[in-house]
């Protein structure tokens, strides 16, 4: 995986069963804020753009964009955003207007409200789920 700054997208390199390389772009906004794995924040985060969390957050997160909680990331509080991709952990609720994605390594202990939901095999989810459109 690498970040192509010129075109503002992440590019994943994958091997299919024929061992040929395929490139799958994942477009991100013009502005992505990253909380590194060495950082800890206590308090509320309000952001208009995309946010990637690889560190620890104790407090609620309100985003108009996408929130990604990386493998080493941990959130204790509510995430309210357009979409969430959870690879790490959350102890709190997730409320999204579009899609919530729980990857195989993720742990979610809280309620989830989303228009669309994707849960990979191996993900851990303990809470209630409601499928509905909610404005964020």
């Amino acid at each position: 995986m690498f970040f192509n700054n010129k075109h503002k997208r992440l590019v994943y390199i994958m091997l299919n069963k024929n061992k040929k390389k395929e490139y799958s772009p994942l477009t991100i906004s013009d502005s992505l804020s990253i909380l590194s794995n060495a950082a800890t924040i206590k308090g509320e985060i309000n952001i208009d753009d995309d946010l990637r969390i690889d560190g620890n957050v104790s407090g609620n997160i309100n985003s108009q964009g996408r929130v990604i909680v990386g493998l080493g990331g941990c959130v204790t509080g509510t995430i309210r955003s357009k979409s969430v991709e959870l690879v790490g952990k959350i102890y709190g609720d997730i409320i999204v207007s579009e899609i919530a994605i729980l990857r195989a390594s993720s742990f979610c202990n809280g309620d989830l409200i989303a228009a669309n939901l994707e849960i990979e095999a191996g993900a851990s989810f303990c809470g209630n789920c409601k499928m509905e459109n909610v404005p964020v």
Side-chain angles (χ1 to χ4, degrees):
M1 177 180 76
F2 65 93
F3 181 71
N4 182 336
N5 195 30
K6 181 178 179 183
H7 294 89
K8 301 284 193 251
R9 63 183 182 178
L10 289 174
V11 178
Y12 291 88
I13 301 172
M14 298 179 286
L15 294 175
N16 66 16
K17 59 185 169 186
N18 297 326
K19 304 293 184 195
K20 293 181 182 176
K21 289 184 181 179
E22 294 179 5
Y23 298 92
S24 174
L26 174 63
T27 304
I28 59 173
S29 72
D30 288 337
S31 181
L32 171 69
S33 297
I34 300 173
L35 178 66
S36 75
N37 59 354
T40 298
I41 291 182
K42 293 182 181 179
E44 187 171 296
I45 298 174
N46 296 299
I47 187 166
D48 291 332
D49 296 314
D50 293 347
L51 174 64
R52 179 177 175 96
I53 300 165
D54 291 317
N56 296 299
V57 174
S58 293
N60 297 333
I61 299 169
N62 300 299
S63 171
Q64 297 300 313
R66 181 176 183 194
V67 175
I68 303 164
V69 181
L71 185 60
C74 183
V75 175
T76 303
T78 298
I79 298 177
R80 180 182 288 271
S81 69
K82 188 165 100 174
S83 66
V84 167
E85 182 174 351
L86 184 64
V87 184
K89 298 177 182 178
I90 179 170
Y91 298 90
D93 300 337
I94 297 174
I95 303 166
V96 295
S97 59
E98 292 182 5
I99 188 167
I101 302 170
L102 279 61
R103 298 292 182 200
S105 60
S106 67
F107 175 83
C108 178
N109 187 3
D111 295 340
L112 199 148
I113 301 173
N116 298 290
L117 176 62
E118 179 182 326
I119 302 177
E120 290 183 353
S124 184
F125 174 63
C126 181
N128 297 306
C129 179
K130 188 185 290 186
M131 304 292 291
E132 67 179 37
N133 292 324
V134 289
V136 177

